[in-house]
């Protein structure tokens, strides 16, 4: 009906009262507890917090590598919600050429060898490595290897891209260049991104929203919307103010 506002879209991912723990030397160790989080389709979320607070564990739960001990994990039924995970290190197979590394996640699909090759070439083009497919990992720089890891994730065409501190081991110029490349990919593809980092400046520069985890066991201590128009400028006073706010919330924890 004309003039009627359509109902809001349901979250792509909804997490309620999530908990995860493990047994160690006869004692129960809680990693995550009472974690609530709602993620919209196409949202870029940075997950921030100290080491050991459960940031990487949350990504592993989402992709199915770890099972929660309690709580609800709900996905939008209108989407397959396929996911891919990019690690801190590229984890490339040194005996395989770049193109074969990118196609690795496609080998158990129904795609033909030629279709897998085309997907790999497209993914490499998307991360700025067109023409690098015949090289071996040792012939690449650290930043290029991380681009290959990102291409490998993109080749499976996920709805959600999970990134576990993917730029933390890189030098500052390379890290900043890859941050901007990732933002360009995000704008072009509209994918939902969950980006784990311990770097507050990186989080507020990249994300729509920063989720600060704190405590032991880890839980959401703050959700801060980064209300600064894109494209953003590093050193913007508004970003610095938001970074200070997030830091104060983490420090108070």
């Amino acid at each position: 009906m004309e003039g009627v506002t359509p109902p809001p879209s349901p979250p792509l991912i909804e997490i309620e009262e999530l908990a995860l723990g493990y047994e160690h030397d006869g004692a129960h160790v809680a990693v995550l507890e009472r974690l609530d989080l709602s993620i919209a389709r196409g949202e870029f979320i940075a997950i921030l917090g100290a080491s050991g607070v459960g940031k990487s564990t949350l990504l592993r739960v989402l992709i199915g590598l770890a099972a929660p001990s309690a709580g609800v994990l709900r996905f939008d039924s209108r989407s397959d919600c396929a996911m891919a995970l990019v690690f801190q290190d590229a984890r490339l197979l040194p005996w395989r050429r770049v193109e074969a590394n990118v196609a690795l996640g496609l080998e158990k699909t129904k795609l033909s060898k030629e279709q897998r090759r085309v997907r790999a070439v497209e993914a490499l083009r998307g991360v700025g490595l067109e023409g690098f497919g015949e090289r071996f990992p040792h012939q690449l720089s650290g930043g290029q290897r991380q681009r290959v890891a990102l291409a490998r994730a993109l080749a499976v065409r996920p709805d959600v891209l999970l990134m576990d501190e993917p730029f933390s081991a890189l030098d500052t110029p390379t890290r900043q260049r890859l941050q901007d490349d990732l933002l360009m990919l995000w704008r072009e593809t509209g994918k939902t991104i969950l980006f784990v980092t311990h770097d507050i400046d990186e989080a507020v520069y990249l994300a729509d929203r920063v989720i600060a985890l704190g405590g032991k066991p880890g839980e959401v201590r703050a959700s801060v919307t980064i209300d600064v128009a894109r494209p953003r400028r590093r050193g913007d006073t508004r970003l610095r103010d938001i970074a200070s706010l997030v830091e104060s919330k983490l420090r108070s924890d």
Side-chain angles (χ1 to χ4, degrees):
M1 185 187 305
E2 188 175 352
V4 176
T5 303
S9 299
L12 180 63
I13 303 170
E14 197 162 12
I15 301 168
E16 296 178 358
E17 294 287 311
L18 186 76
L20 184 143
Y22 62 91
E23 300 300 320
H24 180 68
D25 290 338
H28 181 77
V29 179
V31 180
L32 296 171
E33 189 170 86
R34 300 190 306 276
L35 195 146
D36 295 306
L37 182 59
S38 182
I39 301 162
R41 184 181 301 276
E43 193 172 13
F44 195 132
I45 286 184
I47 302 171
L48 189 68
S51 296
V53 79
K55 304 185 301 296
S56 299
T57 300
L58 175 58
L59 297 192
R60 291 176 180 275
V61 169
L62 288 172
I63 204 169
L65 295 177
S69 51
V72 176
L73 183 59
R74 187 181 300 114
F75 300 99
D76 185 356
S77 60
R78 301 174 304 171
S79 171
D80 291 337
C81 209
M83 299 187 185
L85 177 59
V86 179
F87 296 94
Q88 182 176 355
D89 55 286
R91 301 193 181 188
L92 304 181
L93 301 179
W95 60 88
R96 299 184 67 151
R97 297 182 188 273
V98 164
E99 185 179 299
N101 265 287
V102 173
L104 184 63
L106 302 172
E107 291 183 353
K108 292 186 178 181
T109 69
K110 296 180 180 180
L111 297 175
S112 68
K113 184 176 181 180
E114 176 60 17
Q115 287 172 321
R116 297 197 300 269
R117 188 195 69 79
V118 169
R119 283 267 197 105
V121 170
E122 289 176 350
L124 285 169
R125 185 183 304 121
V127 299
L129 289 180
E130 186 174 9
F132 282 69
E134 291 303 306
R135 299 192 187 187
F136 286 98
H138 74 270
Q139 297 174 307
L140 306 178
S141 67
Q144 288 170 335
R145 287 193 290 271
Q146 281 302 97
R147 288 176 188 267
V148 174
L150 178 56
R152 181 177 56 198
L154 293 172
V156 302
R157 298 182 180 173
D159 298 303
V160 182
L161 194 58
L162 307 175
M163 308 190 75
D164 193 0
E165 300 194 49
F167 307 147
S168 62
L170 303 174
D171 61 81
T172 298
T174 302
R175 183 169 64 249
Q176 292 182 348
R177 188 162 58 248
L178 287 181
Q179 288 169 355
D180 290 333
D181 289 344
L182 177 61
L183 287 173
M184 184 181 300
L185 272 170
W186 173 64
R187 288 193 299 268
E188 291 174 351
T189 63
K191 294 189 184 302
T192 306
I193 297 180
L194 273 68
F195 188 100
V196 163
T197 180
H198 62 269
D199 187 320
I200 296 175
D201 291 330
E202 180 174 59
V204 300
Y205 179 70
L206 290 175
D208 294 322
R209 188 160 50 114
V210 173
I211 304 299
L213 299 186
K216 287 188 179 298
E219 59 184 354
V220 175
R221 292 297 173 88
S223 174
V224 180
T225 299
I226 313 302
D227 192 17
V228 177
R230 302 178 187 273
R232 295 170 181 166
R233 180 177 58 83
R234 290 184 176 84
D236 187 314
T237 55
R238 293 168 297 175
L239 291 180
R240 288 204 301 266
D241 289 344
I242 295 171
S244 296
L245 171 64
V246 174
E247 185 177 13
S248 68
K249 291 181 179 296
L250 289 173
R251 190 184 301 118
S252 66
D253 180 62

